[in-house]
Amino acid sequence: MAASPAYGEEKGGSSSLGEPEYGHDPASGGIFSSDYKRHDDLKEMLDSNKDSLKLEAMKRIVAMIARGKNASDLFPAVVKNVACKNIEVKKLVYVYLVRYAEEQQDLALLSISTFQRGLKDPNQLIRASALRVLSSIRVPIIVPIMMLAIKEAASDMSPYVRKTAAHAIPKLYSLDSDQKDQLIEVIEKLLADKTTLVAGSVVMAFEEVCPERIDLIHKNYRKLCNLLIDVEEWGQVVIINMLTRYARTQFLSPNQNESLLEENTEKAFYGSEEEDAKDAKAEAASLAKRKPYVMDPDHRLLLRNTKPLLQSRNAAVVMAVAQLYFHLAPKAEVGVIAKALVRLLRSHSEVQYVVLQNVATMSIKRRGMFEPYLKSFYIRSTDPTQIKILKLEVLTNLANETNISTILREFQTYIRSMDKDFVAATIQAIGRCATNIGKVRDTCLNGLVQLLSNRDELVVAESVVVIKKLLQMQPAQHSEIIKHMAKLTDNIQVPMARASILWLIGEYCEHVPKIAPDVLRKMAKSFTNEEDIVKLQVINLAAKLYLTNSKQSKLLTQYVLNLAKYDQNYDIRDRARFIRQLIVPTEKSGALNKYAKKLFLAQKPAPILESSFKDRDHFQLGSLSHLLNAKAVGYQELPDWPDEAPDPSVRNVEVPEWTKCTSREKRKEKVEKPFYSDSEGESGPTESADSEPESGSEEHSSSSSSGSSSSDTEEEEEEEDSREQSEDKEEEEEEEEKRPKRKDKDGSRKAVSGSAGSPSEEEEEEEGAKKGKKKAPQGRKGHAETSSEEASTSESSSSGSDSGSEAEAKQRKVPPSSKASSKEISLLDLDDFTPPPPQPIPSSSIISTSLVTDLEGLTLTDTSLTPTLLSPAFSAVKTYELLHRMAGEGLAVEYCFSRRPFPGDPHMVAVQIQISNNTDTEVKNLRVNEPKPLSGMRIQEFPEIVAALWFQSAWRQGTQPAW
Amino acid sequence: MLPARGAGPAGEAREELSGGGACVESTFGGFAPAQPGAAAAMIHSLFLINASGDIFLEKHWKSVVSRSVCDYFFEAQERASEAENVPPVIPTPHHYLLSVYRHKIFFVAVIQSEVPPLFVIEFLHRVVDTFQDYFGVCSEVIIKDNVVVVYEVLEEMLDNGFPLATESNILKELIKPPTILRTVVNTITGSTNVGDQLPTGQLSVVPWRRTGVKYTNNEAYFDVIEEIDAIIDKSGSTITAEIQGVIDACVKLTGMPDLTLSFMNPRLLDDVSFHPCVRFKRWESERILSFIPPDGNFRLLSYHVSAQNLVAIPVYVKHNISFRDGSSLGRFEITVGPKQTMGKTVEGVMVTSQMPKSVLNMTLTPSQGTHVFDPVTKLLSWDVGKINPQKLPSLKGSVSLQAGTSKPDENPTINLQFKIQQLAISGLKVNRLDMYGEKYKPFKGIKYMTKAGKFQVRT
């Protein structure tokens, strides 16, 4: 309302001025004297004693600025009011000042003393705002004053003022880069600040001023990791991105000796005593080759502390964590980000656009990660075209032998879409699926051939181009299609498609000997009217026919070459001249002529249809450069992992003081911020445990012996793991004395992280190997041999007790006080255990020789077990739902693969089914009702269970080995 | 308006010629400060552009960037057929333009160097949300009418291009949102929208909550709203279905209340994201939401119930749409009926469908509700209203096609909207809400609702 008069005025002004925005400085004001009068009333108002008039004038001026109108001539009148008592007038004057000070440097200096006074104000908010405006005035003369002000503010009592100081640093730097050294000193000082308020801003300043001074981060690394969750969201993004770069320079690649780990997996699985000895030797050998990878505890700290931020409501934070995991986490742990990224796809279309670009890149490297979410990428007719095309890209990247049929069915729907750009992209996608997955090549080809009779020419043209590429892979069998396409030359007008057809006919003219010359005849007739790319292909066709079938095509070729000789386009003239020399033997042409046939009809490699997102991951994900696939200004290259780990001790803050200061800091924080530090947050403000799923089921658990099966085991493992984690924590504090012990612990931790996603046996085995504990495997063996019915349960319970005993052993070392914290951390590691997706490998022998083949079997069983499941290609995540409790009226059934062979029969694997009854009534007579396994599968049934509130049972199923 | 834009390209051409990174300053005849090589600041400038291509607001957080930079944007806009197809990131010789499109306004941010694109996009969306929060609606007219408040808000949200205060509770403490009453009072008394006490919220440990909140009626309302995203194929089977839910809260409580909200069945939630006020640790360990709420409306939680769980689809659509070759008439018939509604009524049903281009007109009779076919955009929409299971609503009639064209290849997809009150389709139930830290007894309320999200039926 207040602004509306201002508008009327401006409009009048703009129409009278024509082009008032630029280069309108007061000196030339004489010409626009009418304009000057117009501003006179504003000046009067600004000079008056009434605040309300001043305010009105300032509002009108700000409205002018907002519309991009020039208000610079009012500068003297406005700047007088900088010391005005009225807060709103003052604020608007600040807005004006920041906008125009740069242009009127001398006059701007008049205001400086006001701010200098403000810097000394007892109120922190006034100090902060004075600094903010002072630093925003881009007047080089005041650089020394700004420098002084920043330095002072950096040691201010109030964290808010220190934050403002951090914000001022890049402003000063952009004004005068010579101040860099002094500014770095300030940054160094502020980096040591322990409040969350400052952390984000100072890291931002660091990134702007001295991103190369990575050494400044060392001492603050752990603190930043620990503060991260409480920093405001924008600061989180900046810190996470910076820490990604830091970690790449300071830690070793967690995936460097993957091959070694895989070996271990196999060994562990079949490990027996004699083999153990061998293993030990082999391991020693490989040890000699390369030191086994041990994740730096600081590296782990970063991964652990960023993970909860995947739950942020801020898409930028989620993306930042996702890229951190993609670039830094061990392969097996990267999977956790998929769910969060898929969640972002529900957001605004701009967010979708960016996220899909990143998902497309990730899905090439880690296809398994997004496979369970395949359906989230299905395309709706209401999606904007650019989103559709990106989703298509992701779907194509995710296609594999198992899901290709579903994907192709989806593609069929897309082809009928009204959005023709999208249809064209779909056809390309089908082509890519066909080249990548041999199984469906013929199906795809047939489908594409059908599209050749589509009414839409663009669809036909796109299909021709794709078919051309496909045929190149196996031309012999497809002369029918080539013939069909030859006929299309009469109708199809799109140049690219015509050119593709001609190339095909020329290339495979031997397969269609009768048709080819005829096509050439037709093309010769219309040669002059064709597009350039078509003409070039006509010449090619002529040359090839001349070489293979010169009797029929000699004259035609001559004719075409003559036409081409006088073409307007010099490329075509050149080509014609070159080809004539090459194929028509003359006395001058000499040696090359002999090889003409070899040159033209050489075997050409089939084109590889690749994603345009391939290799984009050399740009840091989530960055602007990645999105544009070009280096943006100021992009910081993501460094490669170092070969040798730099000294980790640089991150230790002078030992005794560090421990004290952390604890003190924490205590202080607790006092300051009762909100965040919960009582459980004692040792790490980082993660907390979710033992609920397990403990929840335990509540239900009857005292039956089977109650102690795998969920318990898992818990045990977790706990054990977390104890190790907590030890790590301690380690930080007691680093010095405990050096020797550390090695031992790290070893065991490696086992844990190594076993991520693989069965716990492996872990036992490794630990067994390391610690010489041979009792456990033996015990397990014994169990396995004797038990038949309850084998799986007893087995797991034995392993449970094993790890339990191990844990016990550990507990002695760990002071009981850290127990609480250990619980807290364990959740994360549960999730970290996400296994790599099972790779379907055709097994050649009947006896499953490796864990992998067993897992493959498991996926198969999956299909037969759960027809309700939408896709069989889900990678093995913890448990699967068989019957949702809503659908089952209170009865829920979940199943999981315990990943253990069924000892009774080597061809069988155990499937664990957990039935939980959520109703008040008893469920009776549970049994397997007429199992219908797929051929080649067997089910060993369990006896009827009469009644239970809760139980677990093992149900075993053999699998068909030849897949 | 237009002359200003017309001046643009010329200005830009001049910039292009002069080249160099300092082109920005070259628009001023006067002093151009030395620009160091290092990139500075995240968001340089913001332009608001309306549907007809007028720049109606500009704000610069650093040196002024000439508005002629938007010409690159207009170019891209021309290339894209529809507004939503304008690429969110446009590189230009010296800048990058990142834009979001909401409420028929393009918010175009100008940046000069590498920055995570989502950072800027998310921020721009936050700006729009803030405007909406301040003015109720976010439109060109409203922004123009409140240009000073908008400018002040933008000034507080970014400092030197880096987000400073984005929490609406803090912003409202700094700059009071305009209300009719306040506008009247301000005009008479000359008082202001700017808060007269200093904004202590920025210093608080709970930055999302303003201090000194007082209400006579203390109330806390929570809406559990679930949306079903689904694709149903021709034969009526579900291709994909997911439930996306949010809990929106309206909390008007005095002082510093500390709330906990617990669910009967928290394990249903497959993936969650929280308002920053929620204590993550409590959720991880106990699966309860514990938080000090912001004052007023906010989104507490959004969640996802995974596709692996069977999703109940509450409605079905029977359709019979056929075009025949050679004939210029087609048949069209749809019936909507309830299915798995857990005994609740399906209301607010709305059917929309984009017809193929060759459709000239449609002659239809609905058994209930009203329908409109727009012959220009070829969009059919049928406002059905409530579904009565005894008498299923249907829409029947004929489609006339352009004479001489062959029948369209594709059948139109049907988009469905509906609402079911008092039902969360996933079965999620709030167990209880407790308040700590304050003595009074608040009034608590919870409401459930299920809606169609992106619900599509392929025909």
Side-chain angles (χ1 to χ4, degrees):
Chain A
M1 208 211 107
S4 54
Y7 274 124
E9 202 167 338
E10 273 161 56
K11 269 180 198 143
S14 80
S15 59
S16 70
L17 285 170
E19 190 190 323
E21 266 98 17
Y22 314 109
H24 176 221
D25 63 330
S28 64
I31 310 165
F32 299 105
S33 50
S34 62
D35 179 39
Y36 258 72
K37 267 186 198 125
R38 187 171 63 93
H39 284 167
D40 275 350
D41 59 330
L42 286 176
K43 280 183 188 157
E44 247 166 59
M45 286 162 87
L46 287 169
D47 288 342
S48 81
N49 293 325
K50 277 192 187 157
D51 277 356
S52 62
L53 278 178
K54 283 183 179 175
L55 185 62
E56 181 60 31
M58 279 320 293
K59 279 185 173 172
R60 280 161 65 175
I61 293 168
V62 167
M64 282 167 70
I65 296 174
R67 310 227 33 168
K69 303 279 177 283
N70 191 0
S72 58
D73 53 326
L74 290 163
F75 200 96
V78 174
V79 86
K80 269 184 274 181
N81 290 299
V82 73
C84 180
K85 289 277 177 298
N86 182 307
I87 293 181
E88 185 161 22
V89 173
K90 206 177 190 169
K91 273 202 168 172
L92 294 175
V93 171
Y94 287 178
V95 169
Y96 183 91
L97 204 57
V98 170
R99 168 70 179 75
Y100 284 112
E102 208 171 350
E103 295 171 51
Q104 314 234 346
Q105 310 233 343
D106 294 341
L107 287 171
L109 293 178
L110 297 175
S111 62
I112 303 299
S113 62
T114 318
F115 301 123
Q116 281 178 306
R117 230 175 299 134
L119 288 171
K120 301 267 183 288
D121 199 280
N123 186 316
Q124 49 178 339
L125 287 159
I126 293 177
R127 286 201 302 277
S129 107
L131 179 60
R132 192 178 157 201
V133 182
L134 182 70
S135 57
S136 298
I137 299 175
R138 291 172 294 276
V139 178
I141 304 169
I142 63 163
V143 164
I145 301 176
M146 272 167 77
M147 193 69 229
L148 207 69
I150 290 174
K151 275 185 178 164
E152 235 161 70
S155 34
D156 199 285
M157 292 268 287
S158 150
Y160 186 66
V161 176
R162 296 202 298 273
K163 181 191 175 76
T164 317
H167 275 272
I169 292 171
K171 297 185 206 171
L172 179 55
Y173 181 63
S174 70
L175 201 58
D176 181 5
S177 49
D178 293 343
Q179 305 293 323
K180 188 169 175 177
D181 293 339
Q182 289 196 58
L183 287 174
I184 290 176
E185 273 170 42
V186 182
I187 289 174
E188 196 172 359
K189 184 172 181 185
L190 285 171
L191 274 172
D193 205 294
K194 291 183 187 66
T195 51
T196 51
L197 211 54
V198 182
S201 305
V202 68
V203 172
M204 190 266 299
F206 169 83
E207 289 283 83
E208 300 255 325
V209 177
C210 53
E212 72 283 353
R213 287 291 304 275
I214 209 84
D215 55 296
L216 296 180
I217 302 301
H218 291 320
K219 298 255 181 263
N220 302 297
Y221 173 82
R222 288 174 194 160
K223 183 198 67 196
L224 282 173
C225 285
N226 287 325
L227 287 182
L228 194 57
I229 195 156
D230 292 339
V231 175
E232 40 87 37
E233 29 192 8
W234 310 108
Q236 284 173 346
V237 178
V238 178
I239 296 178
I240 293 170
N241 279 320
M242 185 276 290
L243 288 179
T244 310
R245 239 179 46 242
Y246 178 85
R248 272 295 188 103
T249 58
Q250 300 301 318
F251 306 130
L252 293 176
S253 165
N255 297 319
Q256 58 178 345
N257 40 5
E258 242 162 21
S259 51
L260 202 71
L261 277 178
E262 267 156 39
E263 261 170 49
N264 283 346
T265 317
E266 266 177 45
K267 272 184 282 175
F269 196 81
Y270 282 89
S272 66
E273 270 175 84
E274 329 94 271
E275 269 177 51
D276 266 4
K278 257 191 260 161
D279 281 357
K281 259 187 221 160
E283 211 157 280
S286 60
L287 264 176
K289 256 186 276 154
R290 200 199 275 162
K291 257 193 326 194
Y293 172 69
V294 176
M295 187 184 273
D296 190 304
D298 288 326
H299 189 172
R300 174 53 68 198
L301 177 76
L302 177 61
L303 292 176
R304 198 189 319 136
N305 285 10
T306 46
K307 198 175 164 203
L309 296 178
L310 284 174
Q311 248 72 54
S312 171
R313 64 166 173 174
N314 187 319
V317 176
V318 176
M319 191 67 232
V321 180
Q323 66 84 22
L324 181 132
Y325 261 74
F326 184 81
H327 291 298
L328 299 182
K331 266 192 183 155
E333 292 173 38
V334 180
V336 295
I337 64 176
K339 197 185 268 185
L341 288 176
V342 169
R343 183 182 70 227
L344 296 186
L345 293 182
R346 273 281 295 183
S347 189
H348 301 284
S349 86
E350 295 88 3
V351 176
Q352 282 185 44
Y353 178 80
V354 179
V355 171
L356 280 169
Q357 299 250 2
N358 287 292
V359 169
T361 305
M362 289 186 201
S363 60
I364 291 173
K365 266 268 166 83
R366 310 265 155 86
R367 181 201 286 159
M369 198 162 100
F370 291 99
E371 251 171 30
Y373 304 99
L374 186 70
K375 282 169 196 249
S376 306
F377 300 102
Y378 279 7
I379 293 154
R380 288 158 212 278
S381 60
T382 41
D383 287 332
T385 311
Q386 49 185 354
I387 300 292
K388 282 181 186 161
I389 288 172
L390 284 170
K391 280 187 173 174
L392 204 57
E393 176 71 39
V394 175
L395 284 176
T396 317
N397 288 344
L398 293 182
N400 62 17
E401 301 238 347
T402 29
N403 57 24
I404 185 67
S405 54
T406 350
I407 292 182
L408 282 182
R409 213 173 312 133
E410 268 298 297
F411 283 180
Q412 264 166 18
T413 325
Y414 302 161
I415 283 174
R416 289 201 299 270
S417 163
M418 298 180 212
D419 184 343
K420 291 303 167 207
D421 291 337
F422 169 51
V423 174
T426 309
I427 294 169
Q428 293 281 358
I430 294 175
R432 258 179 62 203
C433 289
T435 41
N436 297 339
I437 301 162
K439 202 176 82 176
V440 293
R441 195 168 297 152
D442 288 339
T443 330
C444 290
L445 202 52
N446 288 336
L448 290 171
V449 169
Q450 274 169 34
L451 282 181
L452 290 179
S453 43
N454 195 293
R455 254 187 302 270
D456 193 286
E457 195 179 43
L458 280 172
V459 174
V460 179
E462 202 69 40
S463 313
V464 168
V465 175
V466 173
I467 289 175
K468 177 203 134 193
K469 289 178 183 161
L470 288 184
L471 285 186
Q472 239 181 307
M473 300 180 132
Q474 44 200 146
Q477 309 136 22
H478 297 298
S479 54
E480 276 309 309
I481 298 176
I482 299 178
K483 276 180 204 156
H484 182 93
M485 288 172 75
K487 283 180 203 145
L488 282 174
T489 47
D490 293 340
N491 305 318
I492 197 162
Q493 291 306 325
V494 178
M496 189 60 207
R498 288 177 80 83
S500 295
I501 296 175
L502 292 175
W503 183 87
L504 260 183
I505 294 171
E507 188 66 21
Y508 306 115
C509 51
E510 276 154 338
H511 298 292
V512 283
K514 292 210 179 101
I515 292 177
D518 200 43
V519 172
L520 180 61
R521 182 181 59 80
K522 281 186 188 161
M523 295 314 294
K525 217 156 89 186
S526 61
F527 185 85
T528 44
N529 300 324
E530 298 290 350
E531 288 277 331
D532 289 348
I533 46 166
V534 185
K535 283 178 180 167
L536 288 174
Q537 288 309 327
V538 175
I539 299 171
N540 261 347
L541 173 66
K544 284 172 184 167
L545 279 177
Y546 184 89
L547 291 171
T548 52
N549 185 1
S550 62
K551 204 170 77 196
Q552 272 184 300
S553 54
K554 190 169 179 183
L555 287 173
L556 273 171
T557 309
Q558 296 282 3
Y559 175 68
V560 168
L561 289 176
N562 281 335
L563 280 178
K565 194 173 168 184
Y566 299 106
D567 199 89
Q568 285 190 326
N569 186 302
Y570 51 77
D571 276 341
I572 293 170
R573 294 198 301 271
D574 281 358
R575 179 74 61 90
R577 197 172 305 133
F578 159 71
I579 280 177
R580 192 193 292 272
Q581 290 302 313
L582 206 57
I583 58 171
V584 185
T586 57
E587 56 273 26
K588 266 189 278 173
S589 60
L592 271 180
N593 193 295
K594 272 184 271 170
Y595 303 107
K597 200 161 182 176
K598 271 192 187 155
L599 284 173
F600 277 102
L601 296 169
Q603 197 77 41
K604 296 170 184 71
I608 303 160
L609 299 179
E610 266 180 346
S611 165
S612 57
F613 285 86
K614 199 169 174 280
D615 292 335
R616 268 219 205 166
D617 62 332
H618 65 268
F619 287 116
Q620 185 169 6
L621 265 83
S623 67
L624 185 63
S625 305
H626 168 267
L627 189 98
L628 299 170
N629 200 16
K631 219 167 166 180
V633 181
Y635 173 71
Q636 301 271 331
E637 205 78 55
L638 194 63
D640 270 335
W641 296 103
D643 294 331
E644 289 288 319
D647 182 14
S649 64
V650 290
R651 284 181 291 279
N652 296 346
V653 182
E654 292 113 42
V655 183
E657 251 163 71
W658 164 249
T659 38
K660 263 187 242 156
C661 111
T662 35
S663 52
R664 207 190 304 131
E665 179 204 328
K666 256 164 216 152
R667 233 175 288 134
K668 203 174 78 193
E669 252 175 48
K670 210 167 166 183
V671 180
E672 267 180 26
K673 316 200 308 166
F675 180 68
Y676 266 117
S677 21
D678 299 345
S679 55
E680 44 170 347
E682 292 280 37
S683 81
T686 54
E687 225 89 340
S688 60
D690 171 27
S691 52
E692 206 258 353
E694 274 80 30
S695 61
S697 54
E698 266 187 330
E699 272 165 29
H700 292 286
S701 92
S702 67
S703 57
S704 80
S705 66
S706 54
S708 73
S709 59
S710 108
S711 78
D712 273 7
T713 323
E714 246 176 2
E715 210 180 352
E716 295 272 16
E717 275 169 32
E718 260 174 72
E719 234 156 278
E720 180 193 340
D721 188 36
S722 58
R723 254 171 231 129
E724 276 156 19
Q725 299 275 9
S726 68
E727 276 177 325
D728 287 345
K729 281 240 144 201
E730 246 180 84
E731 246 168 63
E732 283 167 24
E733 292 163 25
E734 305 167 55
E735 200 109 34
E736 296 305 308
E737 315 103 78
K738 294 212 171 177
R739 275 282 175 204
K741 195 182 149 196
R742 175 189 187 158
K743 219 177 172 166
D744 179 39
K745 268 181 279 174
D746 278 348
S748 63
R749 194 163 52 88
K750 179 215 160 193
V752 174
S753 59
S755 74
S758 38
S760 57
E761 279 102 312
E762 174 206 338
E763 177 193 332
E764 283 164 33
E765 207 67 56
E766 270 195 26
E767 294 201 347
K770 283 233 160 68
K771 304 198 171 175
K773 267 198 190 174
K774 299 216 167 119
K775 195 199 93 200
Q778 263 178 347
R780 192 177 40 144
K781 276 224 141 191
H783 273 287
E785 270 155 26
T786 49
S787 62
S788 59
E789 181 50 52
E790 285 184 356
S792 126
T793 41
S794 60
E795 183 189 303
S796 50
S797 69
S798 83
S799 65
S801 66
D802 176 38
S803 50
S805 68
E806 197 143 337
E808 235 175 274
K810 288 235 166 91
Q811 220 163 354
R812 263 177 272 130
K813 287 184 238 159
V814 182
S817 65
S818 69
K819 242 198 141 175
S821 74
S822 75
K823 243 212 153 171
E824 216 180 295
I825 302 154
S826 59
L827 163 88
L828 212 168
D829 297 288
L830 213 203
D831 280 25
D832 286 353
F833 269 53
T834 319
Q839 292 292 327
I841 304 167
S843 53
S844 47
S845 75
I846 290 177
I847 300 157
S848 46
T849 50
S850 73
L851 178 73
V852 188
T853 39
D854 264 350
L855 279 175
E856 177 224 340
L858 286 173
T859 21
L860 246 193
T861 351
D862 190 355
T863 355
S864 70
L865 249 183
T866 57
T868 49
L869 218 66
L870 296 169
S871 155
F874 292 142
S875 63
V877 197
K878 291 168 278 179
T879 55
Y880 297 85
E881 196 139 44
L882 186 57
L883 178 65
H884 185 239
R885 64 185 251 206
M886 295 285 293
E889 293 181 335
L891 184 70
V893 184
E894 285 183 330
Y895 66 99
C896 68
F897 305 111
S898 53
R899 300 202 194 86
R900 294 192 172 85
F902 174 41
D905 184 336
H907 302 161
M908 287 186 139
V909 289
V911 178
Q912 196 163 28
I913 298 181
Q914 181 177 324
I915 302 173
S916 33
N917 180 1
N918 298 317
T919 59
D920 305 331
T921 49
E922 270 189 353
V923 177
K924 287 183 179 166
N925 301 351
L926 285 159
R927 67 197 144 82
V928 177
N929 203 5
E930 293 179 327
K932 284 192 203 106
L934 290 183
S935 63
M937 291 189 180
R938 286 174 293 145
I939 294 178
Q940 187 164 337
E941 294 181 32
F942 54 82
E944 188 174 286
I945 295 156
V946 181
L949 279 174
W950 183 92
F951 68 89
Q952 274 185 315
S953 173
W955 175 11
R956 290 150 212 108
Q957 209 163 345
T959 59
Q960 180 186 15
W963 193 52
Chain B
M1 216 72 330
L2 277 171
R5 251 196 81 193
E12 185 67 22
R14 199 173 58 215
E15 275 183 25
E16 290 306 300
L17 287 176
S18 70
C23 77
V24 176
E25 287 76 19
S26 71
T27 36
F28 306 106
F31 181 86
Q35 191 80 311
M42 298 244 169
I43 297 170
H44 230 276
S45 304
L46 175 71
F47 294 98
L48 269 53
I49 299 173
N50 66 12
S52 50
D54 297 329
I55 303 169
F56 64 93
L57 188 122
E58 63 179 71
K59 171 96 182 91
H60 308 274
W61 282 273
K62 305 213 62 191
S63 305
V64 179
V65 176
S66 158
R67 56 164 64 188
S68 59
V69 76
C70 291
D71 289 347
Y72 292 102
F73 178 80
F74 295 128
E75 241 171 66
Q77 196 184 3
E78 247 166 67
R79 242 176 286 130
S81 46
E82 281 156 64
E84 55 189 10
N85 270 329
V86 177
V89 181
I90 303 168
T92 79
H94 303 296
H95 302 97
Y96 304 93
L97 306 179
L98 276 69
S99 65
V100 305
Y101 180 67
R102 278 177 76 182
H103 307 291
K104 302 213 162 60
I105 302 171
F106 285 102
F107 294 77
V108 184
V110 181
I111 57 167
Q112 239 180 357
S113 58
E114 173 64 49
V115 61
L118 266 188
F119 187 99
V120 179
I121 285 169
E122 181 80 18
F123 176 79
L124 291 178
H125 280 299
R126 204 61 73 79
V127 169
V128 183
D129 293 342
T130 310
F131 289 170
Q132 228 170 343
D133 194 35
Y134 259 77
F135 311 122
V137 279
C138 175
S139 69
E140 186 186 347
V141 177
I142 288 281
I143 291 178
K144 279 182 168 171
D145 284 353
N146 295 287
V147 71
V148 175
V149 178
V150 165
Y151 223 68
E152 284 169 332
V153 169
L154 287 175
E155 181 77 25
E156 292 300 335
M157 286 184 86
L158 282 181
D159 180 16
N160 196 37
F162 191 80
L164 189 64
T166 50
E167 279 300 334
S168 102
N169 263 272
I170 291 189
L171 283 170
K172 282 186 176 164
E173 210 174 341
L174 292 166
I175 301 138
K176 300 243 164 57
T179 60
I180 295 173
L181 181 69
R182 191 171 301 126
T183 320
V184 173
V185 170
N186 285 357
T187 347
I188 296 165
T189 63
S191 59
T192 73
N193 281 334
V194 172
D196 32 10
Q197 67 284 61
L198 286 157
T200 45
Q202 268 166 309
L203 312 169
S204 130
V205 287
V206 276
W208 51 85
R209 188 174 176 86
R210 30 184 210 111
T211 44
V213 186
K214 271 209 179 77
Y215 289 102
T216 40
N217 297 323
N218 288 296
E219 20 183 48
Y221 296 107
F222 294 87
D223 293 354
V224 179
I225 302 166
E226 296 196 333
E227 293 191 358
I228 305 176
D229 286 358
I231 302 178
I232 313 288
D233 79 355
K234 229 184 180 121
S235 57
S237 54
T238 311
I239 292 181
T240 161
E242 298 180 320
I243 299 172
Q244 308 278 351
V246 293
I247 299 183
D248 281 340
C250 175
V251 178
K252 296 183 170 169
L253 297 175
T254 307
M256 272 287 169
D258 196 334
L259 304 179
T260 54
L261 183 83
S262 64
F263 298 102
M264 307 275 265
N265 40 10
R267 294 186 68 189
L268 269 180
L269 308 182
D270 175 49
D271 182 35
V272 283
S273 72
F274 302 116
H275 189 276
C277 69
V278 176
R279 295 175 178 100
F280 187 72
K281 262 174 267 165
R282 290 287 294 275
W283 171 257
E284 283 292 274
S285 57
E286 301 163 60
R287 296 276 148 179
I288 57 172
L289 298 173
S290 157
F291 55 98
I292 294 176
D295 184 45
N297 296 311
F298 64 101
R299 175 154 296 172
L300 177 65
L301 170 80
S302 36
Y303 62 89
H304 177 257
V305 179
S306 77
Q308 273 98 319
N309 293 355
L310 292 174
V311 174
I313 304 290
V315 289
Y316 70 89
V317 178
K318 261 210 309 230
H319 51 84
N320 183 1
I321 304 169
S322 60
F323 307 110
R324 262 165 303 159
D325 252 328
S327 155
S328 65
L329 275 185
R331 272 226 320 250
F332 186 94
E333 187 180 340
I334 20 180
T335 310
V336 188
K339 182 176 120 181
Q340 291 175 291
T341 59
M342 328 253 168
K344 301 283 197 300
T345 335
V346 183
E347 11 170 71
V349 180
M350 177 92 175
V351 177
T352 51
S353 181
Q354 179 71 50
M355 289 293 151
K357 284 196 188 68
S358 53
V359 172
L360 273 187
N361 210 345
M362 305 183 82
T363 326
L364 302 169
T365 7
S367 72
Q368 73 177 69
T370 52
H371 80 285
V372 185
F373 175 72
D374 183 343
V376 180
T377 58
K378 315 286 182 199
L379 189 74
L380 170 73
S381 51
W382 174 30
D383 190 350
V384 185
K386 229 179 243 177
I387 295 182
N388 177 3
Q390 269 75 51
K391 195 174 157 290
L392 295 179
S394 66
L395 182 68
K396 282 183 212 173
S398 61
V399 186
S400 54
L401 297 170
Q402 217 161 358
T405 51
S406 43
K407 76 169 182 119
D409 316 321
E410 71 281 338
N411 272 339
T413 35
I414 296 168
N415 294 302
L416 215 60
Q417 285 164 43
F418 56 81
K419 258 194 301 205
I420 305 170
Q421 303 280 6
Q422 292 154 20
L423 172 73
I425 197 91
S426 69
L428 186 76
K429 268 220 141 38
V430 172
N431 186 17
R432 54 183 296 140
L433 176 75
D434 297 305
M435 188 181 75
Y436 306 95
E438 295 287 337
K439 295 240 155 47
Y440 56 86
K441 237 184 142 48
F443 185 81
K444 302 176 273 192
I446 184 125
K447 204 171 85 186
Y448 297 93
M449 178 150 69
T450 297
K451 290 201 285 194
K454 296 173 182 167
F455 198 103
Q456 261 183 16
V457 182
R458 292 174 178 168
T459 61

